Amino acid sequence: RLCRGLGLLQLEPGDEAAALRQRVADLQERLDLVQAFCRAGVFERDPDTMQGWWDAHMYRNFGLPVPAPGTPAPPYAEVSTMLLREDRKPGAFRRTLDHAGVHADRVRLRRPDGSVRHLHSQWKVIHDAQGRPVRVLGVNTDDTEVFELARRADELRDELDLISRLGNIGLWRHDLATDRVYFDERACAHLGLPHSAEGLSQDEARALIHPDDLPALKASYDTTLQTGVPSDMSLRYRRTGGGWTHMLLRRMLQRDDQGRPAAFLGVMLDETERVVKARREAELSQRLESAAEAARIGLWTSGVDGGLPDWNRRMFELFGL
């Protein structure tokens, strides 16, 4: 309001400035969320003095308490001592300052609590017009969970290979999209086939099987495909030099991301020796029974645990039972 040539001016915040502040706050909130989920910390270093600044996520990645805002980052030399001795590369970081652009390294550090973490460090070196480094900005990501999963996967793979090797178990896979069957080296050895990464067509694989066993193969195929329940089957495979190899197979269903059947996975075990031995024992038992019958001899067996004995038919006749 004007009074004797004087005026009073009252300033009110503009809608645009308030909207910008809200936008900045929203972006900061989202950035913090992404950094927390990805375990990513942001850092900055002066290429001349090596003094720097860390955000709160950097301190958490290193297992250090978060200081008050504006506190300088720990000295570079002090941080370097936290790296495992095998991962320390004296002077490597400083040498990157001569080359503008993005650089990266993977290191392991030991936190004050003794735990070891895997860090993926990436930084960008910025030069001025004269080609001198003036700024270094970077991100450290804690990849420990990824490395632990990879390590566990390697351990499981080694255990599976050991079990397969000791148990002489072969692995196979039937891809439903291409209708091809793939055997690993151990399975190929069981079947007397040369190992090939191209596998066999379904018709080629079935041609190796005894014709009388194909109905059991189809029943196993249909049961697992319709129910998803693993199924077993005993199949005879043709030997290269003649005769048949007795294989015990189990199949399970593998589905794709949409839950649709994608492949059959399975194992195979050569049980020829067991089948031949069981057949031989059955033949010997039948011969013994025939000889005892002809000679009117009663046969009995008894376990050492004191259970009831097992009699043949002639024993009952001898006792009038």
Side-chain angles (χ1 to χ4, degrees):
R1 182 169 47 185
L2 295 176
C3 179
R4 296 182 181 179
L6 299 178
L8 177 64
L9 179 63
Q10 182 176 354
L11 301 179
E12 298 287 345
D15 293 340
E16 184 177 353
L20 287 175
R21 282 196 294 270
Q22 184 60 45
R23 179 61 174 164
V24 170
D26 291 343
L27 291 175
Q28 183 62 53
E29 182 182 21
R30 295 178 184 182
L31 176 61
D32 288 339
L33 185 64
V34 171
Q35 287 184 258
F37 286 167
C38 299
R39 296 183 176 87
V42 177
F43 69 90
E44 184 173 352
R45 289 273 177 196
D46 185 298
D48 293 326
T49 64
M50 294 305 290
Q51 292 180 348
W53 167 88
W54 283 8
D55 70 354
H57 299 284
M58 279 289 293
Y59 286 95
R60 296 188 184 101
N61 283 348
F62 278 76
L64 300 174
V66 180
T71 303
Y76 178 78
E78 177 183 326
V79 173
S80 299
T81 61
M82 298 181 66
L83 304 183
L84 297 190
R85 186 178 302 276
E86 310 89 83
D87 294 350
R88 297 176 191 173
K89 304 167 186 176
F93 178 76
R94 289 183 178 275
R95 286 192 292 272
T96 66
L97 302 181
D98 296 331
H99 306 279
V102 178
H103 305 270
D105 194 11
R106 293 186 182 274
V107 295
R108 293 166 296 170
L109 68 90
R110 189 179 302 280
R111 288 176 170 178
D113 62 5
S115 62
V116 175
R117 310 298 292 181
H118 295 260
L119 291 186
H120 183 199
S121 184
Q122 302 175 84
W123 63 96
K124 182 176 183 180
V125 178
I126 302 172
H127 284 188
D128 60 14
Q130 288 71 39
R132 294 171 301 192
V134 294
R135 197 179 182 196
V136 178
L137 290 173
V139 176
N140 275 348
T141 306
D142 188 345
D143 285 344
T144 305
E145 286 192 8
V146 176
F147 274 85
E148 288 300 319
L149 288 174
R151 182 186 61 80
R152 183 55 182 157
D154 289 339
E155 290 178 352
L156 292 175
R157 191 179 298 110
D158 292 341
E159 291 175 8
L160 175 61
D161 183 67
L162 178 62
I163 292 172
S164 300
R165 187 168 62 253
L166 295 178
N168 204 21
I169 299 172
L171 305 177
W172 60 273
R173 183 177 187 273
H174 180 186
D175 190 304
L176 297 178
T178 61
D179 221 16
R180 296 192 69 81
V181 183
Y182 303 90
F183 300 99
D184 72 350
E185 295 182 1
R186 197 167 289 106
C188 287
H190 287 328
L191 303 178
L193 299 174
H195 181 256
S196 171
E198 298 178 357
L200 302 175
S201 68
Q202 184 179 21
D203 292 339
E204 292 172 333
R206 290 190 173 185
L208 302 173
I209 300 172
H210 195 292
D212 293 346
D213 295 344
L214 290 178
L217 175 68
K218 185 178 186 305
S220 170
Y221 182 105
D222 294 340
T223 298
T224 300
L225 184 62
Q226 294 171 8
T227 67
V229 177
S231 57
D232 299 334
M233 50 195 159
S234 293
L235 304 177
R236 289 167 288 179
Y237 280 85
R238 191 184 312 277
R239 287 179 177 171
T240 305
W244 301 93
T245 298
H246 296 263
M247 304 296 299
L248 177 64
L249 283 78
R250 164 165 286 199
R251 75 166 74 236
M252 64 171 290
L253 186 63
Q254 182 184 37
R255 299 183 182 274
D256 60 17
D257 295 338
Q258 285 73 42
R260 297 171 299 194
F264 287 117
L265 302 178
V267 295
M268 57 169 40
L269 179 66
D270 187 348
E271 59 173 0
T272 304
E273 183 178 351
R274 184 192 64 79
V275 171
V276 172
K277 183 179 179 181
R279 184 179 299 164
R280 185 181 300 114
E281 290 176 349
E283 292 174 353
L284 291 174
S285 177
Q286 186 176 6
R287 290 180 185 177
L288 177 61
E289 189 69 34
S290 298
E293 184 70 20
R296 300 179 62 81
I297 296 174
L299 299 176
W300 61 271
T301 58
S302 179
V304 296
D305 57 358
L308 294 177
D310 182 31
W311 287 6
N312 71 342
R313 187 178 63 85
R314 183 63 63 181
M315 279 291 291
F316 286 91
E317 291 180 355
L318 290 176
F319 281 84
L321 300 172

